[in-house]
Amino acid sequence: MPQPMQTSYRDLSCGDARPEHTGRDVSLAGWVHRRRDLGQLIFLDLRDRYGITQVVIDAAESPEAHAVASTVRSEYTLRVTGSLAARLAGTENPKLATGQVELRAREVEILSPARTTPFPINEPDAEVDEAVRLKYRYLDLRREGLQSRILARSRLVRAIRESHHEAGFVEIETPLLIKSTPEGARDFIVPSRLQPGNVYALPQSPQQMKQLLMVSGFDRYFQIARCMRDEDLRGDRQPEFTQLDLEMSFVSETDVMSWVERMAIEVSRAVVPDRPLQRDPFPVLTYRQAIDRFGTDKPDLRYGLELRDLAEVATGAGFRVFDETVAAGGRIFGFAASGMGVATRRELDDLTRFARRFGAKGLVWLALEEGGTVRSPIAKFLAEGQAEALATAAGAERGDLVLIVAGDDIHAQEVLGRLRVEIAARLSLADPAVLAYVWVHQFPMYGWDEEHGRWDATHNPFSGVIPEDEDLLRTSSGDPFQPSRSDPAGQARALQYDLALNGWELGGGSIRFHRRELLSRSFALMGHSDEAQREKFGGILEAFEYGAPPHGGIALGIDRWAALLTDQTNIREVMAFPKTASGSDLMLDAPSPVDPAQLAELGLMVKPPASADQAGS
Ligand code: ASP
């Protein structure tokens, strides 16, 4: 039986050799991971993706092989032929799967030499400058850390594909050269040579196409889809990223959520079998609950620190700021940080600055000392027993610290949500092994866009509305093009659901409008005139006139998922060839200046950047 990894160059991979292979004559091929030259004996660790095998070259046994081996250096690629032998008792290496055996070389062939690498490949923990790692990405990918994460990502994508095929989903590719599908970001555009002056947009997502596939009757679609969004980059963003994109027909919100949940559990078990799920089935929160309890729509449920509504206890207690906030329609929330009652003035000032950075006017704190006294800058304004009453309402016990923010609805909770994450990090409250998935749904359909004086979709412009809120899709003026902040539309809730994992938004989706007139009404509320609708969404609106099934779907970020499953905080760490924060590919040197002949062919002219003039002066 041939070994699965056998090729013309090798009989086994560098990870295959076991005691049962001893006595066999084999060839191995790989990279020199490490070389130890003891004079007559040279030891080479030969490495490939599958493992490391120790090679011994003895000058007395194989003088020619020894002569070659004495010229090789780290990262040369070699083919070594010899016999596999048991290692001498006491020299086995239990850390290597192949550690019981070694290859006694008869012949060493250099397949290709290597320059000294810009960073060591065989020291997984070596700190290497990020820009150097990106420029020499092919070498960084040889290192254990990145290589194992790319392999984990491949297992993730494979598990996703297998689950979907098993459940009857059809894998369909959608084009990259399309018309703009708005997802709230800027498009990357590609000029058309055949139609000068016209452009394609690269997809921000396959949104319209997957919905059209439902109109076509495919019933269940999925794709590992590339999406491109021209946004300013942040830690967990890249200009191009990968989504698991799916869409299903004749489904309700619960149908899509239960499929995705079952699949996410299957996939997590396949990729990281040792990591426990915090809850199965996943908890489901409404957007309102998520905000009021955790101050965010992507709560990390691995720890408590839940917010409490303190308005009732806080008002009429003697502290004017609280009374005025509530009188103006604002909210007062707080939470108890266990054991932090001993916080120093400096730590508290630091937390106050933190809250201000996220827009809070101030941070009120109450420190419950072990002896029972309450320390607080507002203590002097409060009536007898009020500080204790507030602490109790916040769920605090002796030794705890209560943090309180008063402000506008949602904003006050969001500031506390940030503090909650910060405190949990300082106290190391999150178990890094646990996977805490949580659903959040019933989001508001629209958010008021102050600048343009209109409603904007909070998520996806194709999201449908919760049936009992359908009547709310209108303006107070009666004219959809005369919207105002107090329109009923502001109260409408979308059939939108997001999946969060350990405090990150993993993805989101919705049940869509499948009736033309409702979609059109919703577009109008977002300020799209009939003409603009025809121009931007004419294709899908017309398709809905030919019998569209009720449908919905979701997209989950594969980069984020892979990062979370491999304990990374930056998605660059799970992407083979990512870009820098300014969108550059340092390895291929992109973007780069365009050839004038190409521009001429496209009928384009480039205006020199303003800064170039200044740089010259
Ligand atoms: N197209 C949406 C996105 O990319 C996801 C969806 O609603 O299916 O975020």
Side-chain angles (χ1 to χ4, degrees), residues 183 204-205 207 210 229 243 245-247 460 508-510 512 553-555:
E183 290 278 358
Q204 293 188 32
S205 85
Q207 184 66 33
K210 67 173 170 177
R229 299 183 189 176
Q243 285 186 343
D245 193 48
L246 67 94
E247 197 76 7
N460 186 320
S510 61
R512 330 293 181 185
I554 197 166

Side-chain angles (χ1 to χ4, degrees), residues 235-255:
D236 59 351
R237 295 256 163 100
Q238 283 276 315
E240 51 183 314
F241 56 94
T242 311
Q243 285 186 343
L244 157 61
D245 193 48
L246 67 94
E247 197 76 7
M248 306 165 81
S249 289
F250 305 110
V251 284
S252 67
E253 180 182 78
T254 338
D255 296 320

